[in-house]
Amino acid sequence: MQSSSRSGNGDQGADGDDSLYPIAVLIDELRNEDVQLRLNSIKKLSTIALALGVERTRTELLPFLTDTIYDEDEVLLALAEQLGNFTMLVGGPEYVHCLLPPLESLATVEETVVRDKAVESLRKISQEHSPVDLEVHFEPLVKRLASGDWFTSRTSACGLFSVCYPRVSSTVKAEIRQHFRTLCSDDTPMVRRAAASKLGEFAKVLELDYVKTDIISLFTALASDEQDSVRLLAVEACVSIATLLPQEDLETLVMPTLRQAAEDKSWRVRYMVADKFSELQKAVGPEITKNDLVPAFQNLLKDCEAEVRAAAANKVKEFCENLPEDNREQIIMTHILPCVKELVSDTNQHVKSALASVIMGLSTILGKDNTIEHLLPLFLAQLKDECPEVRLNIISNLDCVNEVIGIRQLSQSLLPAIVELAEDAKWRVRLAIIEYMPLLAGQLGVEFFDEKLNTLCMAWLIDHVYAIREAATCNLMKLVEKFGAEWAQNTIVPKVLGMANDPNYLHRMTTLFCINALSEACGQEITTKQMLPVVLKMSNDQVANVRFNVAKSLQKIGPVLDSNALQTEVKPVLEKLASDTDMDVKYFAQEAISVLALA
């Protein structure tokens, strides 16, 4: 802010003018028509407050802000955020209550994002109030919001109860509980929704007796609300409440409601139960899990809505891992696995995909024999699924099955399926398998790869579809990055270079593409000694396409070579190609000469 824009008339009153300056400019900017300008001035509030000093911030700036808040939502959002960090600018914790009036009016505006930010800032500064200030200033604000005429203020109040409850006197605590009870049965669904979303958080700060008397009755009421958006939030609260209660009370106080939620007529509520299933399982403990949650989980896996089945399928591994160890295997084999088998051939691909991402994890829980007998057939079915995501999820998780049943068993059962896909008549299926190759190679190790999969990778280089040849080239590069240059020199490079003499010019070109891809990964020595002579020899090819690709290859591998090889071997060949009869060959040779600076 430049002071030169002021008209200072002589010396008189300059001090007064100076001290009023920041607030005057702020007033101007906040009345400007341009939203961006108003937004910028709000973002500079802390600078303005510093310039004014703590006292004037309290007496002038905050009242001004409180009175003039009627603006675009983004300006109000910025203001609500700024005020949360204003404690020191108004003089520290003892004056922090001065920030409450502007935040209170921001907590009642129509736009949800602004209200949420104001509540967030209020929660933040509530920590800086002393217990006395909390009762004198903060708690009355919460009460005013809780009994406001508009639902907007009542929804905001829901987020503030839990932050002031622990630090106030018992009479005030009773009032807060009463207000929360009232809001849980508010006429407006939005308010009940806000209360339900804060129920778990509020339960955590309450004394256990009140959790049993107050919270459980509220939880039961909200869990049977007419609006499914309220009921599904009660499911979330269920996790917190179950964690707080002693084991013997869970059966009577929480389980009836939870059973009802798991069979709710609205799929969104059942989805919420499925989504929170692992947390619920940990909260209620092994005994209830065995008697209640296992049948509930079976039902969710068989639900008529695909979204619910997918959410439950996602939790299969976690649920099984957390079952009590003494009868884990028996529960999985008799209750869970039959449902899983049905899901493998589900009609919905999201369900199959969710299952494929976790099903491999069951092998570690069930051990070798069960995996071979029961799980491998399922993995095989999923490897052949028409949905690529299902196949990918299976291939990306092969390593954990490998740990359980060993590489031999795995290769006998799953590899034929992979080979079958690799030679599929549809080129897109082949392409998908090539993309998984580096992943597979990493999981299965180099010896196994050379023995079983190397020939496949080479066969792809002479596929009749260009996209496959291109992907196969890229795949070789990734494999060399994984297994190292020495492996490349022994297994890959000789085969690639052998193709340079192939009668089919497309295969000869593939040699060049492979050399382009491999030169960097293989390093200078292999490139100079083994690859370069082949490229140079191919510059005499009869097919112009091959010759101009030689020029492109030399340009690509040039940076890997040393200057001696460039000058004595590459330069003469490029100069010869630059005077070729074919226009394209000339063009690419000249381009290579200029890029490699050989002119």
Side-chain angles (χ1 to χ4, degrees):
M1 243 176 250
Q2 295 164 335
S3 42
S4 57
S5 60
R6 292 198 323 273
S7 53
N9 42 3
D11 285 339
Q12 66 181 44
D15 281 348
D17 187 9
D18 215 15
S19 58
L20 279 171
Y21 178 64
I23 201 123
V25 170
L26 178 70
I27 290 170
D28 278 353
E29 284 187 352
L30 282 180
R31 293 199 175 134
N32 194 299
E33 278 178 19
D34 181 5
V35 175
Q36 202 50 51
L37 236 172
R38 299 203 297 274
L39 194 57
N40 292 343
S41 65
I42 288 290
K43 287 184 174 163
K44 289 186 306 208
L45 262 188
S46 52
T47 325
I48 294 168
L50 273 174
L52 286 171
V54 290
E55 192 159 329
R56 293 191 57 196
T57 298
R58 292 198 300 268
T59 55
E60 292 169 36
L61 180 60
L62 288 175
F64 167 69
L65 289 172
T66 313
D67 294 342
T68 52
I69 306 180
Y70 307 104
D71 204 339
E72 302 284 330
D73 294 332
E74 51 193 318
V75 178
L76 298 182
L77 179 65
L79 178 61
E81 187 168 8
Q82 289 280 324
L83 290 173
N85 307 318
F86 245 58
T87 307
M88 294 328 287
L89 298 169
V90 293
E94 60 189 295
Y95 293 107
V96 73
H97 59 82
C98 301
L99 295 171
L100 298 179
L103 282 170
E104 180 174 356
S105 41
L106 286 168
T108 59
V109 298
E110 204 169 317
E111 177 52 52
T112 317
V113 192
V114 178
R115 289 203 308 271
D116 289 349
K117 187 54 83 177
V119 169
E120 193 184 311
S121 290
L122 280 167
R123 287 167 70 103
K124 199 168 169 184
I125 63 171
S126 72
Q127 306 306 323
E128 288 156 346
H129 281 66
S130 66
V132 175
D133 280 346
L134 259 185
E135 289 201 13
V136 175
H137 299 287
F138 198 87
E139 208 268 334
L141 167 143
V142 179
K143 276 191 208 162
R144 284 194 299 277
L145 288 174
S147 45
D149 292 337
W150 288 92
F151 80 88
T152 49
S153 73
R154 301 200 298 277
T155 51
S156 292
C158 294
L160 298 173
F161 292 124
S162 63
V163 286
C164 55
Y165 187 87
R167 296 167 54 212
V168 292
S169 63
S170 51
T171 41
V172 178
K173 279 184 175 177
E175 285 172 18
I176 293 179
R177 289 197 303 277
Q178 183 50 52
H179 278 295
F180 192 77
R181 272 201 297 276
T182 312
L183 292 181
C184 282
S185 53
D186 197 279
D187 292 340
T188 317
M190 280 79 91
V191 178
R192 297 201 301 278
R193 205 177 308 158
S197 70
K198 297 288 182 249
L199 183 64
E201 180 188 288
F202 189 49
K204 283 181 183 162
V205 297
L206 250 63
E207 297 80 355
L208 185 60
D209 290 347
Y210 292 121
V211 173
K212 288 184 189 175
T213 51
D214 289 22
I215 295 287
I216 294 294
S217 58
L218 297 176
F219 165 62
T220 317
L222 290 168
S224 44
D225 194 275
E226 58 183 4
Q227 298 276 337
D228 62 355
S229 57
V230 177
R231 298 200 299 276
L232 67 88
L233 288 166
V235 173
E236 261 188 88
C238 182
V239 179
S240 311
I241 295 170
T243 327
L244 298 170
L245 291 171
Q247 194 65 39
E248 62 271 14
D249 293 333
L250 284 176
E251 186 52 59
T252 49
L253 299 178
V254 174
M255 286 320 292
T257 312
L258 183 57
R259 284 188 204 109
Q260 171 193 323
E263 294 167 4
D264 198 280
K265 61 179 186 292
S266 158
W267 71 268
R268 292 163 60 193
V269 179
R270 301 196 303 276
Y271 172 87
M272 201 55 156
V273 175
D275 192 50
K276 298 275 170 222
F277 216 83
S278 305
E279 295 156 55
L280 286 168
Q281 182 187 5
K282 286 179 188 149
V284 299
E287 208 43 48
I288 293 181
T289 295
K290 205 162 54 188
N291 304 334
D292 267 297
L293 294 194
V294 173
F297 194 55
Q298 283 174 291
N299 291 337
L300 292 169
L301 288 171
K302 296 176 189 164
D303 199 276
C304 55
E305 284 293 337
E307 278 90 347
V308 180
R309 294 199 301 278
N314 249 323
K315 299 283 178 232
V316 164
K317 175 180 166 233
E318 262 184 276
F319 181 71
C320 293
E321 269 177 343
N322 297 329
L323 286 170
E325 275 186 35
D326 48 355
N327 47 9
R328 179 192 295 168
E329 191 175 314
Q330 179 249 329
I331 293 177
I332 297 174
M333 298 308 288
T334 49
H335 299 296
I336 307 295
L337 204 62
C339 303
V340 169
K341 283 179 181 165
E342 284 171 33
L343 291 182
V344 168
S345 50
D346 198 278
T347 48
N348 183 294
Q349 66 176 46
H350 298 295
V351 177
K352 289 188 294 195
S353 182
L355 182 66
S357 63
V358 298
I359 189 171
M360 308 298 256
L362 289 180
S363 53
T364 35
I365 304 171
L366 288 176
K368 186 170 179 176
D369 299 339
N370 282 328
T371 298
I372 293 170
E373 190 182 336
H374 298 285
L375 292 178
L376 273 182
L378 302 181
F379 301 159
L380 272 174
Q382 288 181 302
L383 256 186
K384 294 179 181 169
D385 198 279
E386 78 279 4
C387 165
E389 213 170 285
V390 175
R391 298 197 299 265
L392 175 61
N393 282 342
I394 289 292
I395 288 180
S396 4
N397 293 305
L398 275 180
D399 48 349
C400 57
V401 181
N402 187 2
E403 284 166 24
V404 178
I405 63 174
I407 195 86
R408 287 284 147 238
Q409 182 69 43
L410 191 64
S411 64
Q412 286 161 17
S413 54
L414 294 186
L415 253 142
I418 289 172
V419 173
E420 200 179 306
L421 290 171
E423 293 164 350
D424 196 275
K426 297 192 197 71
W427 68 270
R428 289 180 191 280
V429 177
R430 299 200 297 278
L431 188 64
I433 281 290
I434 297 179
E435 284 164 1
Y436 305 146
M437 237 346 125
L439 188 72
L440 261 177
Q443 296 192 349
L444 303 173
V446 66
E447 298 86 8
F448 183 81
F449 182 81
D450 283 347
E451 183 188 329
K452 304 278 184 191
L453 300 174
N454 202 337
T455 41
L456 266 184
C457 290
M458 287 302 160
W460 282 323
L461 289 172
I462 52 175
D463 196 279
H464 59 87
V465 177
Y466 174 71
I468 299 287
R469 297 197 298 275
E470 185 186 31
T473 310
C474 182
N475 168 44
L476 283 186
M477 180 178 76
K478 289 178 182 157
L479 290 172
V480 173
E481 283 168 4
K482 248 190 180 77
F483 293 151
E486 193 180 321
W487 173 80
Q489 191 175 355
N490 299 333
T491 51
I492 298 278
V493 175
K495 291 181 184 172
V496 168
L497 299 181
M499 288 165 59
N501 305 318
D502 196 292
N504 184 334
Y505 85 96
L506 290 171
H507 298 171
R508 299 201 294 279
M509 287 195 349
T510 302
T511 294
L512 292 170
F513 298 148
C514 287
I515 288 173
N516 296 349
L518 295 175
S519 59
E520 207 173 316
C522 287
Q524 190 177 22
E525 191 181 339
I526 298 177
T527 304
T528 312
K529 288 188 178 159
Q530 292 181 315
M531 298 184 188
L532 183 61
V534 175
V535 181
L536 297 173
K537 186 177 141 219
M538 289 171 83
S539 66
N540 301 318
D541 201 284
Q542 290 95 12
V543 180
N545 275 18
V546 177
R547 294 200 302 280
F548 82 64
N549 272 299
V550 166
K552 284 166 104 173
S553 280
L554 289 172
Q555 180 182 327
K556 178 86 175 76
I557 68 175
V560 182
L561 305 168
D562 61 5
S563 54
N564 180 27
L566 279 173
Q567 288 300 334
T568 57
E569 300 181 59
V570 175
K571 190 178 177 181
V573 170
L574 282 175
E575 281 170 349
K576 184 185 76 183
L577 291 173
S579 52
D580 196 276
T581 49
D582 185 280
M583 272 175 56
D584 289 330
V585 179
K586 272 184 184 170
Y587 169 77
F588 285 110
Q590 282 160 353
E591 191 183 69
I593 288 173
S594 71
V595 169
L596 297 171
L598 293 173

